[in-house]
Amino acid sequence: MRKVETLIKYENPDSRKLHYYYQYTFAINKVIEFLNEKYGFSFQLYNTERRNAGDFNEIISDILQNKPEELELVASVYDSFGHADILPKDNGKHEIKPSSTNNIYYFSVFDIAIVTLPVYSYGHPFTESYLFGKNDGQVLDFLQYIDDLERQFMLDGITVFTDTDEGLTRSKEKITQQIAREDVLLEDRIKTDIFRSIDEFFLHSGTFFKTYHIPYKRGILLYGSPGNGKTTLVKSIAGSVAAPIVYWQITEFTSSYSISEIFSKVVRLAPMVLVIEDIDSMPEESRSVFLNTLDGATSKEGIFLIGTTNYPEKIDPALINRAGRFDRAYEIKQPSDILRKNYLLKKGISQFIEENQLEKLISKTKGLSIAQLNEVYMSIALDWHYEKQVDIDKIVNDLQVNQKKVQKQDWVTDDISGRVGF
């Protein structure tokens, strides 16, 4: 890339009047001076604004956690900012690791350095990542390398994004127990359709789509009352395909900014599964941006999109009335008699009740969700453990009364008139 003349230089005294700009340039040029002297050649600063905010910070954290030999910590920038992070471990304890912020990391294979610096603007701190490289070719190779690494790291569980009042947050949910496809309690026809689509999309490298000249993207919408296996289906898919799973939680804080961030990331790391939970919660002011993003020529290329909702009546009709947004909508119904019986038998209900009691239980639990059946099983197990007998009528009736109270938000039955305080 041809170098051009710059008009304002940070060492120019007049530039000190540009208060925020001078703070920025002072730190950046200190980093460049250090790198040039340490490695003996000239480094250039490359803009990273068009990458997702926090991308480099996140990938540095992942590399430090999983492949620390890939980089070298060569210096810290500010002496009054933390150089190490206190991180929680799975066992409830903590560990201390070098921070991805305020430290300069060097990738010797590419002659690339990255630093994420704290920036203060209008009294609010945020972080910004900066990339320093030798030439354009090595920078492009490096970007492909970290994309490949990020995709590899994402295979180890489900990556969860949640829109919050502080922006888009990322976490990882480990898959501690593999959910077999036969354990997904759905109607056979629906389950067959979904898993066939998944297999053709991922296990066979999309050859089905190429053979029949079908665009390499797929969108399905799962709707139905809560507790009937939509999340279980997603976890089963995550454990059965060698592709990253991104789980995006829509909230009232979802914005055009977070929509752009999510789709730019998943397209860059495709092929992958993008699950959009509670899609009916998309704020009104963000819906047009979301719909336009779905309509984009490359917005879903290589993406298997799964939308979920417990309230299909709230879904924007434009989501499913236009081809290319969601191809199919599947109702996840309350489990049938057969599904309820199979579920309880797999849980081990036979150790507590006889066959005739089981048939009675199946009849009385009509209309209950899978999650509620789990509570029925728990109550039966507790009764048997302590009393050595089971009152099916009482257990199911109590659960149904509780369900009605939840629906009506009518919890208190005592007369509380005249009471004051707590």
Side-chain angles (χ1 to χ4, degrees):
M1 182 178 63
R2 183 176 65 88
K3 289 186 177 181
V4 296
E5 182 182 1
T6 55
L7 302 181
I8 299 177
K9 297 180 173 59
Y10 90 101
E11 68 269 14
N12 185 334
D14 290 339
S15 69
R16 292 174 184 266
K17 297 177 183 177
L18 304 171
H19 181 59
Y20 290 114
Y21 177 72
Y22 181 74
Q23 289 182 347
Y24 157 79
T25 54
F26 184 79
I28 292 300
N29 279 277
K30 281 292 186 183
V31 173
I32 291 176
E33 289 170 8
F34 168 80
L35 293 172
N36 290 350
E37 181 178 351
K38 181 173 180 64
Y39 296 105
F41 56 84
S42 296
F43 282 81
Q44 300 179 61
L45 172 63
Y46 287 82
N47 288 336
T48 62
E49 292 178 0
R50 291 189 177 272
R51 300 278 298 200
N52 288 338
D55 256 3
F56 290 114
N57 204 14
E58 291 170 358
I59 193 64
I60 291 293
S61 296
D62 285 339
I63 294 174
L64 287 171
Q65 190 73 21
N66 299 288
K67 289 190 172 185
E69 70 280 359
E70 296 285 319
L71 45 64
E72 176 189 4
L73 171 57
V74 293
S76 296
V77 180
Y78 295 112
D79 61 354
S80 300
F81 195 90
H83 304 159
D85 293 331
I86 301 173
L87 303 173
K89 298 176 69 174
D90 292 339
N91 60 5
K93 297 186 181 297
H94 292 82
E95 62 180 338
I96 295 178
K97 293 278 190 180
S99 177
S100 57
T101 302
N102 194 44
N103 288 328
I104 304 173
Y105 291 99
Y106 188 67
F107 296 79
S108 58
V109 175
F110 300 95
D111 290 324
I112 294 289
I114 288 182
V115 60
T116 299
L117 294 178
V119 179
Y120 294 87
S121 178
Y122 300 102
H124 296 285
F126 62 96
T127 57
E128 191 71 48
S129 296
Y130 304 96
L131 187 150
F132 305 87
K134 189 175 182 180
N135 58 59
D136 297 356
Q138 285 179 302
V139 168
L140 292 175
D141 289 343
F142 174 74
L143 294 177
Q144 184 60 57
Y145 155 79
I146 62 170
D147 282 349
D148 293 341
L149 269 186
E150 183 173 12
R151 194 172 193 279
Q152 178 184 334
F153 294 149
M154 290 173 74
L155 293 174
D156 181 26
I158 298 174
T159 303
V160 181
F161 287 95
T162 305
D163 285 306
T164 72
D165 57 347
E166 296 183 350
L168 197 64
T169 64
R170 186 186 79 158
S171 60
K172 178 166 285 187
E173 181 179 331
K174 296 268 187 189
I175 303 175
T176 56
Q177 183 177 3
Q178 174 62 48
I179 299 175
R181 293 185 175 186
E182 55 268 23
D183 292 334
V184 177
L185 296 179
L186 293 176
E187 292 181 24
D188 288 341
R189 178 186 60 82
I190 292 177
K191 186 159 68 169
T192 298
D193 277 359
I194 292 174
F195 280 112
R196 276 181 180 173
S197 295
I198 286 287
D199 289 344
E200 291 298 341
F201 205 91
F202 295 106
L203 298 186
H204 305 304
S205 304
T207 53
F208 170 85
F209 294 83
K210 298 169 187 175
T211 300
Y212 297 104
H213 308 290
I214 300 172
Y216 187 40
K217 53 188 178 181
R218 185 74 176 157
I220 63 174
L221 180 67
L222 308 178
Y223 67 93
S225 55
N228 279 321
K230 294 188 289 294
T231 301
T232 300
L233 171 63
V234 170
K235 289 183 177 180
S236 179
I237 291 172
S240 63
V241 297
I245 312 291
V246 167
Y247 205 82
W248 180 22
Q249 175 64 67
I250 299 292
T251 72
E252 68 270 26
F253 301 110
T254 299
S255 64
S256 57
Y257 177 77
S258 59
I259 292 170
S260 174
E261 277 203 84
I262 287 289
F263 277 92
S264 62
K265 176 179 283 290
V266 297
V267 168
R268 194 177 73 247
L269 301 178
M272 66 158 48
V273 177
L274 171 60
V275 182
I276 307 179
E277 186 182 23
D278 297 334
I279 201 167
D280 55 275
S281 300
M282 180 71 66
E284 184 68 37
E285 63 272 15
S286 302
R287 291 185 180 184
S288 61
V289 174
F290 179 63
L291 295 175
N292 290 335
T293 301
L294 289 183
D295 291 338
T298 60
S299 63
K300 289 200 304 174
E301 186 70 22
I303 305 301
F304 196 104
L305 179 62
I306 302 176
T308 74
T309 178
N310 296 328
Y311 306 100
E313 68 277 5
K314 295 182 181 180
I315 285 283
D316 189 334
L319 269 177
I320 52 179
N321 288 345
R322 179 164 174 175
R325 290 174 176 171
F326 285 96
D327 306 298
R328 292 287 298 274
Y330 296 103
E331 181 181 4
I332 309 302
K333 299 178 181 180
Q334 300 287 77
S336 64
D337 290 356
I338 294 176
L339 286 179
R340 295 200 306 282
K341 183 175 183 178
N342 288 341
Y343 178 78
L344 290 171
L345 286 173
K346 282 191 175 183
K347 293 287 290 184
I349 198 73
S350 298
Q351 62 190 305
F352 309 122
I353 61 177
E354 302 293 336
E355 178 66 26
N356 63 324
Q357 290 179 297
L358 175 59
E359 294 302 326
K360 178 181 178 181
L361 180 62
I362 297 306
S363 176
K364 291 186 70 66
T365 55
K366 185 178 181 64
L368 295 187
S369 68
I370 295 296
Q372 291 166 329
L373 285 179
N374 191 59
E375 179 58 28
V376 168
Y377 175 83
M378 177 72 173
S379 299
I380 288 174
L382 282 171
D383 270 12
W384 177 259
H385 182 74
Y386 287 103
E387 310 295 340
K388 299 305 179 189
Q389 60 183 358
V390 176
D391 188 340
I392 290 177
D393 290 331
K394 181 180 183 303
I395 289 173
V396 175
N397 288 340
D398 285 350
L399 185 63
Q400 289 171 337
V401 168
N402 183 78
Q403 183 182 8
K404 290 177 181 177
K405 287 183 176 182
V406 171
Q407 292 170 343
K408 295 181 178 180
Q409 291 298 295
D410 182 18
W411 295 98
V412 180
T413 56
D414 291 340
D415 181 8
I416 60 173
S417 60
R419 294 184 184 179
V420 178
F422 296 96

